[in-house]
Every structure is written in structure tokens, then in C-alpha cells.
Amino acid sequence: MVAIRVDAFKGLAPAISPIKLADGAATTALNARVEGSSLVPERQPTTLEALPTGTKAFYKWLDQYWLTSVEDESFVESPVVTDTWKRVYMAGGDYPRYTAYQVALSGYSATDSIADNPTLPTTSYRLGIPSSDNSVSVSVTGTADADTADIEKTTAYVFTYVTDYGEEGPPSEPSNLVTFFLGQTRSLQFPSNPSGNYAFSASGAKKRVYRTATGTSNTEYLFVGETNFSATTFTDSGTDADLGEVLPTEGHFRPLDDDTTYAPDGPLQKIVLMPGGFLAGFAGKNVAFSEPYLPHAWNPANTLVTESNIVTIISSTFGLVVLTETRPYVAVGNTPEAMSIVPLDINQACVSAKSAADLGGQVIYASPDGLVSIQGNQTQLITDGLITRRQWQAYEPETMLGVTFEGRYYAFYDDGTNERCLVYDQQATDAPLMEIALHATAAHVSAKDDILYLKVGNNLVTFGTDDTYEMTWKSKKYFLPVDTTLAWGRVVADGRVQLRIYIDGVKIFDRRVEDSLPFRLPPRTRGREVELEIVESTKRIDSIAIGSERSEV
């Protein structure tokens, strides 16, 4: 008496011989997934609408607006909870930039489609505030107070630029030391204003003036006053007692941008939000960090360096994962100045920046040999033993777009022949891979909606929200110890299922099974190697069984 029963379905493990696969594992698994050990078809995406031509990245903002980019840009919302301007920060284009609600939606109509609306954001600004390479010139006029005419004072001035959003930049070069007596007025002449796409409007931007206190050894610059951004002069007639706060923006430089003198490795390629309210970004071999809750301010002193060029970064629960052309790193710390970086003990490069994604406390990415998982300082080639390097390379991992959703990792790939999705299900350890006949080139997971949005072709779609695919699943080869006659079969499913049975490589059964009752197999069904296949099914399948006796199925 011999029976073969599949009631705990699994996926693929291509490196393992079909005969040596675990029970329930497959040699083909297309458009299927395992739920509660049953086999169910994946659902097709729902097309929402067309995206602007050339879109490479998109982001759902404020629950209703779609920000899009023709570059592979990352999007990070303001870490300031009370940000009334609802700013969004972007990197990966010509230079890091940001936008705000008041300027991002110019010309937008809620009744028009994404493609018919202007590309959002319609207005954005360079991230960071420049400092002046020149100092103010200062002249002293007026008459000294009679009772203090013999007390000489010495001071120096700096100034800063302040954007329409109150973001203050680093100080200018200090002025020459200025000598004066109480009662005399110091007249400041500003150098020319900076050019460039900064948030400096005539009505909202400012210049702030600071100077050193006189008669002390204190070299701190203290607040004097502010004026309009367009002002060319400023007058100071106050005393030391009138000075305000200490200059707060020493070291608050702009992020790495397209100024090759300032940033030889180019602009930030990606930014992510860290738990301490600061941003992390990278360019070349450099990992940079903004000041907490000040995304415009980046102190070069807080830069970390890797041995080889960085491919991408991912913020996870255990730190910042830094993936390079040679090996991964993890950077940890609660503040920008406390961040430190260590290399991890695995020599696996990241071959696709877009393949990296966080799967519930572990970061997964595509390497030359397979998928690598990082959890804290622990690393693992999680497809080792499941897929060979040669098999993996056939997927063209350099093309992979990785995204995690509902506990699974999806890698959309283009191997030159097929454009599909390779699925890694961490719950199925011995055969965790499946495929979907779906290809996407950009993705965004909305945690609030609990929806995975994809770019498929030129359309924005929602993943797994439409009718079911027709799934195909073919079992491992079951090797029977003796040449056995098989007479009965049974499929427990939610509806009609197309079942194929192969004996010693020959298809001996190809029939639509209408219900869950046992059925007879063709006469003289004998052999030693058995394969079971479900073809083009849209129904849930709980089990498949064949045996010599009716009671066995």
C-alpha cells in the first residue's frame, strides 16, 4: 500500500534535486502562495491611473497627493511633528531638495488625474542654506558718549541667511575687528546675496547679524538683530547688554550637493530618517548625518567613511545598514555625533541599490550569490543551499527591485526573457521561493493604507487587490520504493481544479477535478517517480493525494 499526500504546500528550492526536495516542495510555483499550509493563487494588481512619463519614483503624501520624480529619488517627511509647512525632503537627483505644502501643489486639481496634473511637487528648493564666503564691511560713525569717551571697544561681526521657513544657515566669514566707543554707530554693508534655488523670498527670508561681546575673552557670537533678505545694510548702535542668544548654527552646513568643490563625490544619493529625528544620507564612500530635527543642517564632522563605494542605505530597528560594492556595514548611535560604523562579517556586495528592503527587523538585499539577510550584527546568505550562484545569476540580480509587504520579500527582475517577481517567504524555510508573472520598476508601501503601490508599465497599481491569477504548481518528484500501481486520487479544494499526474516523466492524467470526492486513475497507472501538477487554478487547494486504495486518499 502506497500513498502520496501533499497537504503542507511549499515553494521552490532550485538548488536541490527534485527527488531530494522536502515533501510539499515544488519545481514550479507560479502565481501561487502558501497560506496556512494551503496553496492559494496570488491576486492581480488593480490599475489606478497612469503616471507621468518617465516616472522612476513616487510617494503618497498627506493621504492624497502623489509626488513623482524622473530620478530614483527617496522621500522623507519632516521629522518635526509640529511642522506646519508639512515639508518633504528628497535626494537622488541633481541635488538634495525639499518642498512644502504651500508651494508643492501649485496648479493642482483634485478632479484631474495624476498624469493630467502638474508633476508634484511643482516647486522645490535646494536643501541646506549657504553661507557667505565674504564678510560684512563695517564702518563706525557718530560721536562717543562723553562719560565713556576713553573706553575703547573691539568686536567682530558675522551674519547668516534664514529661509522663508525659518531655517538658519551657518555664519559668514567674520569681519575684521572693529574698534569703537560707546555712542558710536556701526554700519554694516552686506556682500551680494547668493544665487541658486533656495527658499529666499523678499518677503519671508531674513539676514541675522551676530557679533562678539566687547571687553571679554569670549569669542562666541551673540545675536544683534535681523533684517530683510534684500537689505544691503544694517545698523548696530546697541551695547553688550542688548545682545541676545549665542549663534546656534556653527557647523550647520548644507548637505553634500552638486558643487564638486564642496562635495567631490557628488550629491546625496539617498536619505532616510533615523530614530533620533535626524537624517542619514550617502555619497561615494561617505555616510553623512543631519542635525536632529534640522534636515537642512549637516555637520561634516559627523561623517563616517567606508572602504568602498556605498550602493545604498537602509534604516532598520537595529541601526543604519550601509551596503557597499564589497561588504555591508552597520552604523549605530542615538545622535549624529555619537554614530559609529562597523563592517559585518560577510563579503557580499550589494548589486542593486533598489533591491534592499527591511523585512520586520532584518534587511534583505541582492548579492552576487543570492539574497543576504542582516539582523543586528548577524549576517546570512539566506538562499544558500536553496539556489546556486549560476541559477541566481540567471535572474539578473542587478535588475532587481526589492520591496517587503505582509511578511514577504518581493524581487522584481528582468532577465532579458522574463519580467517577473521572485518571492521569498521567510516562513517556508526549506523551500521559500515562488514566482509571480508581474514586473514593477518602482514601489511605495503606504503603512497607513497597508497597501503596496507599484509602477507597472506606466501605470500606478495596487498589489494583490484584484481578481486571482491562474496559478501553476508542480510538486517534487516522489520516488516510490517499488514499481507501484496507483488507482485513486483526491483533491480537496474550494472548486474545480485542473490536475496533471506524471509517472516516470509521462503525463498519464490531465483532467479537471470537479469536487473533493475520490476519483479513479487510469488503468495500469504504475511507476516509481510521481509528480503532481496543478494548472491554471484560481481556487484554494488544501491537499492532493493519490494512492493504491481508496481509503488512502
Side-chain angles (χ1 to χ4, degrees):
M1 301 295 182
V2 176
I4 296 172
R5 178 180 300 276
V6 181
D7 54 12
F9 291 89
K10 298 182 174 75
L12 305 167
I16 302 173
S17 167
I19 289 179
K20 293 184 176 181
L21 284 168
D23 287 347
T27 57
T28 300
L30 180 63
N31 299 333
R33 67 162 62 195
V34 176
E35 288 186 357
S37 77
S38 296
L39 194 68
V40 299
E42 291 278 5
R43 289 191 170 273
Q44 300 180 54
T46 301
T47 299
L48 301 181
E49 53 184 300
L51 289 164
T53 301
T55 295
K56 291 184 178 179
F58 57 88
Y59 183 81
K60 192 174 187 181
W61 182 43
L62 301 178
D63 300 332
Q64 58 181 315
Y65 307 111
W66 287 101
L67 306 183
T68 63
S69 175
V70 295
E71 305 289 346
D72 283 323
E73 288 191 290
S74 52
F75 300 84
V76 174
E77 295 192 34
S78 174
V80 180
V81 176
T82 57
D83 183 10
T84 57
W85 292 293
K86 299 178 174 61
R87 286 166 289 187
V88 177
Y89 301 87
M90 294 154 277
D94 292 338
Y95 52 79
R97 60 190 181 118
Y98 71 107
T99 190
Y101 181 77
Q102 292 78 358
V103 299
L105 305 175
S106 177
Y108 173 83
S109 171
T111 59
D112 289 341
S113 66
I114 298 174
D116 290 337
N117 265 303
T119 298
L120 302 182
T122 54
T123 299
S124 63
Y125 304 107
R126 280 182 174 270
L127 180 59
I129 297 91
S131 63
S132 177
D133 293 332
N134 299 308
S135 61
V136 294
S137 58
V138 186
S139 60
V140 178
T141 59
T143 304
D145 293 339
D147 56 348
T148 58
D150 58 341
I151 302 177
E152 187 178 75
K153 304 287 186 178
T154 302
T155 191
Y157 289 86
V158 297
F159 73 98
T160 63
Y161 297 113
V162 183
T163 69
D164 297 354
Y165 305 102
E167 303 151 330
E168 186 173 4
S172 67
E173 290 295 311
S175 70
N176 293 329
L177 289 175
V178 179
T179 300
F180 66 96
F181 296 92
L182 294 181
Q184 291 185 307
T185 298
R186 285 80 67 199
S187 298
L188 282 63
Q189 181 77 36
F190 293 110
S192 299
N193 286 335
S195 60
N197 184 29
Y198 296 102
F200 293 145
S201 71
S203 59
K206 304 288 184 182
K207 292 172 182 170
R208 288 183 182 156
V209 176
Y210 299 81
R211 72 171 176 87
T212 57
T214 60
T216 72
S217 59
N218 191 345
T219 58
E220 291 181 323
Y221 288 89
L222 306 175
F223 181 70
V224 177
E226 66 181 24
T227 186
N228 291 332
F229 178 76
S230 58
T232 58
T233 61
F234 180 85
T235 300
D236 176 22
S237 58
T239 67
D240 289 354
D242 299 319
L243 296 175
E245 66 173 351
V246 174
L247 171 72
T249 59
E250 284 282 2
H252 287 194
F253 295 97
R254 66 186 195 269
L256 300 173
D257 57 22
D258 55 344
D259 180 352
T260 55
T261 302
Y262 177 70
D265 292 312
L268 294 178
Q269 295 301 298
K270 182 179 181 179
I271 52 175
V272 297
L273 179 62
M274 300 296 290
F278 55 95
L279 303 188
F282 80 91
K285 300 177 182 179
N286 303 298
V287 185
F289 302 95
S290 77
E291 293 298 306
Y293 304 101
L294 299 174
H296 64 278
W298 298 68
N299 191 334
N302 297 329
T303 301
L304 303 175
V305 180
T306 59
E307 294 178 359
S308 55
N309 286 330
I310 299 168
V311 177
T312 192
I313 56 176
I314 295 283
S315 179
S316 190
T317 54
F318 54 85
L320 179 71
V321 175
V322 181
L323 304 176
T324 76
E325 294 177 349
T326 56
R327 67 190 306 175
Y329 296 73
V330 170
V332 296
N334 295 323
T335 61
E337 60 271 16
M339 294 296 293
S340 61
I341 191 168
V342 294
L344 297 180
D345 189 22
I346 189 170
N347 292 317
Q348 290 288 344
C350 177
V351 297
S352 169
K354 297 172 73 172
S355 72
D358 187 283
L359 179 61
Q362 65 173 320
V363 170
I364 296 178
Y365 69 92
S367 79
D369 294 331
L371 291 177
V372 175
S373 168
I374 300 173
Q375 291 180 283
N377 62 356
Q378 302 297 312
T379 59
Q380 182 184 4
L381 184 64
I382 54 176
T383 52
D384 187 29
L386 301 174
I387 187 168
T388 66
R389 179 187 171 95
R390 183 183 296 273
Q391 291 168 333
W392 175 251
Q393 285 294 319
Y395 285 103
E396 297 289 346
E398 295 82 4
T399 69
M400 285 183 172
L401 164 68
V403 60
T404 57
F405 186 64
E406 303 291 353
R408 293 177 174 89
Y409 173 86
Y410 299 87
F412 298 92
Y413 69 91
D414 179 358
D415 66 9
T417 301
N418 297 305
E419 293 183 339
R420 287 183 174 178
C421 177
L422 182 67
V423 184
Y424 173 77
D425 185 347
Q426 61 181 340
Q427 300 302 319
T429 55
D430 48 7
L433 304 175
M434 290 194 174
E435 291 197 69
I436 306 174
L438 176 67
H439 184 252
T441 55
H444 168 64
V445 177
S446 171
K448 185 172 182 178
D449 296 343
D450 193 28
I451 292 175
L452 168 58
Y453 295 94
L454 300 171
K455 182 194 175 191
V456 176
N458 200 49
N459 293 320
L460 177 67
V461 308
T462 54
F463 175 78
T465 54
D466 211 324
D467 294 335
T468 57
Y469 281 104
E470 291 183 340
M471 67 176 175
T472 297
W473 182 92
K474 189 174 184 180
S475 75
K476 62 168 284 184
K477 288 184 177 180
Y478 288 89
F479 186 75
L480 303 179
V482 294
D483 193 15
T484 304
T485 299
L486 299 169
W488 291 90
R490 186 183 184 190
V491 178
V492 178
D494 285 349
R496 291 182 295 180
V497 173
Q498 187 75 23
L499 174 66
R500 292 174 181 171
I501 301 174
Y502 300 82
I503 303 292
D504 295 334
V506 178
K507 182 169 61 178
I508 59 91
F509 185 90
D510 186 357
R511 198 178 81 187
R512 187 175 295 276
V513 179
E514 300 290 340
D515 52 41
S516 297
L517 297 175
F519 54 85
R520 294 285 302 198
L521 297 180
R524 295 181 297 280
T525 298
R526 306 175 58 86
R528 301 191 69 179
E529 290 184 0
V530 180
E531 297 165 275
L532 308 174
E533 185 178 27
I534 299 295
V535 182
E536 299 175 352
S537 173
T538 59
K539 304 300 181 181
R540 177 188 182 98
I541 300 171
D542 295 317
S543 66
I544 309 171
I546 60 174
S548 300
E549 302 290 341
R550 191 176 194 275
S551 60
E552 294 175 331
V553 299

